[in-house]
Amino acid sequence: MTRTDSRETILIADYDFGDVDIERAIVEGAGLQLLAAQCKSEEEVIEAGRETGGILTQYARVGSRAIGALTRCRVIARYGTGVDIVDVDAATRHGIQVTNAPNDWCAEEVADHAVALWLAAARKICQYDRAARQGEWHWKTGQPIHRLRGQVLGLLSFGSIARLIAERAQAFGVEVWAHDPFLDQSEIRESQVRPVSFDDLVEGADYVVIQTPLTPQTHHTFDRATLRRMKPTAILVNTARGPIVEDTALQQALTERWIAGAALDDLEEEPAKQRVWRPSNPLLELPNVIVTPHAAYYSEESIRAVRTIAAEEAVRVLTGQPPRFPVNEVPPSAGAGRG
């Protein structure tokens, strides 16, 4: 993909918004050119982005190989908060600014979705719905269900989204615990939440909600060993990233009743990152699992916000302004000589 004129160019590496009208208005309004692609591999990012000064990416990985090959690139703007699909260290070494969107672009939506998944799983909403549609009109089709009040909801991490989840959950009379090794315990207690160790969270909570970032350290946090330690009546909710949970281990845990149920907003294979995805994951066949397609962040308002932020950040960097939401520290002139 080559530029059609001499203007600085920004590439949208991939997107699932249906159009790029918001980005185009911002980029072209600043006198720059916009290109849009649907890259599903690093090789495709390199091919599409060889002559671009900036990249916006939703799911497409921009790793060290791409960063080394994209000699004109000065900014990589992530649609979203997590930057695990970008090799930030490599970008920094090459003088490329990486930006993201702060949590609050979708914090309310994710908190709402987490609570909705938790309640749907705990109250067997999907199970009742399936049974009713099949002609079974009886409360026993959801058996057993336990009262929420007095039970323990545990949060893995206690960042801004987890705090909103805690506020919502407390209204249902549950005791809220949280494990976050990066926070002082007093900060957790200020929210009327009990700080606990990871072991206590896993072994003692009736509902565990994952809201931690995906890092090499959190990958497969919930493997067979961890799932074995949970209560047999426990429900696991994941509104973070799919690979934090090992799918094959979770399937075994649910099939063999190590735990009672799960509600997942993503799967380990992260289907949105694949060009062709087939619903072959065995978790999709289990009656005690609820799955949503990584949609926790979605509302019309949040989508507009994140698209605006990403486009504006790329424009700011390419027009010599400091980014509002930098992920790494890059000297202002570091990328000037690239290309």
Side-chain angles (χ1 to χ4, degrees), residues 169-180:
Q170 285 163 340
F172 291 89
V174 294
E175 181 180 351
V176 181
W177 297 358
H179 172 68
D180 193 323

Side-chain angles (χ1 to χ4, degrees), residues 223-224 227-228 247-260 288:
D223 56 11
R224 284 177 175 80
L227 292 164
R228 275 282 195 187
D247 280 1
T248 56
L250 181 60
Q251 181 203 3
Q252 185 177 3
L254 292 163
T255 302
E256 298 181 8
R257 298 289 177 173
W258 304 351
I259 65 174
N288 51 349

Side-chain angles (χ1 to χ4, degrees), residues 4 50 139 205 224 305:
T4 59
R50 287 189 189 279
W139 61 265
R224 284 177 175 80

Side-chain angles (χ1 to χ4, degrees), residues 296-319:
Y297 62 83
Y298 167 66
S299 71
E300 288 296 303
E301 294 79 7
S302 67
I303 289 293
R304 173 171 287 278
V306 78
R307 294 173 65 181
T308 301
I309 290 168
E312 287 181 346
E313 287 293 84
V315 165
R316 288 178 68 87
V317 173
L318 293 183
T319 56

Side-chain angles (χ1 to χ4, degrees), residues 91-254:
T92 304
R93 290 195 301 271
H94 285 82
I96 299 175
Q97 180 69 65
V98 179
T99 69
N100 68 351
N103 267 329
D104 58 5
W105 75 273
C106 66
E108 298 288 344
E109 286 81 358
V110 176
D112 289 344
H113 201 86
V115 171
L117 286 176
W118 162 50
L119 293 175
R123 292 296 309 172
K124 307 286 183 69
I125 299 300
C126 296
Q127 195 166 322
Y128 274 132
D129 178 71
R130 286 192 298 267
R133 291 171 187 271
Q134 293 167 7
E136 296 183 70
W137 193 269
H138 204 290
W139 61 265
K140 288 183 179 178
T141 57
Q143 196 174 33
I145 291 176
H146 298 283
R147 179 177 294 166
L148 296 177
R149 184 170 295 276
Q151 296 200 64
V152 173
L153 182 141
L155 293 162
L156 183 58
S157 97
F158 201 62
S160 59
I161 295 175
R163 295 174 200 220
L164 292 174
I165 295 171
E167 289 177 10
R168 288 156 168 74
Q170 285 163 340
F172 291 89
V174 294
E175 181 180 351
V176 181
W177 297 358
H179 172 68
D180 193 323
F182 302 103
L183 287 181
D184 188 274
Q185 293 192 355
S186 62
E187 190 172 345
I188 297 175
R189 289 194 184 95
E190 286 174 2
S191 298
Q192 287 73 56
V193 173
R194 176 180 169 184
V196 296
S197 68
F198 179 75
D199 291 343
D200 286 344
L201 184 83
V202 168
E203 296 171 6
D206 299 292
Y207 314 103
V208 176
V209 181
I210 303 170
Q211 199 52 59
T212 189
L214 175 61
T215 66
Q217 292 71 40
T218 62
H219 182 267
H220 280 187
T221 295
F222 285 82
D223 56 11
R224 284 177 175 80
T226 304
L227 292 164
R228 275 282 195 187
R229 294 160 55 197
M230 295 177 68
K231 290 182 174 183
T233 54
I235 291 172
L236 181 67
V237 178
N238 185 9
T239 41
R241 293 289 297 280
I244 296 171
V245 178
E246 184 182 2
D247 280 1
T248 56
L250 181 60
Q251 181 203 3
Q252 185 177 3
L254 292 163

Side-chain angles (χ1 to χ4, degrees), residues 3-18:
R3 293 177 292 178
T4 59
D5 58 36
S6 60
R7 291 178 294 168
E8 186 86 83
T9 306
I10 292 174
L11 168 73
I12 298 178
D14 70 312
Y15 63 99
D16 63 6
F17 312 125

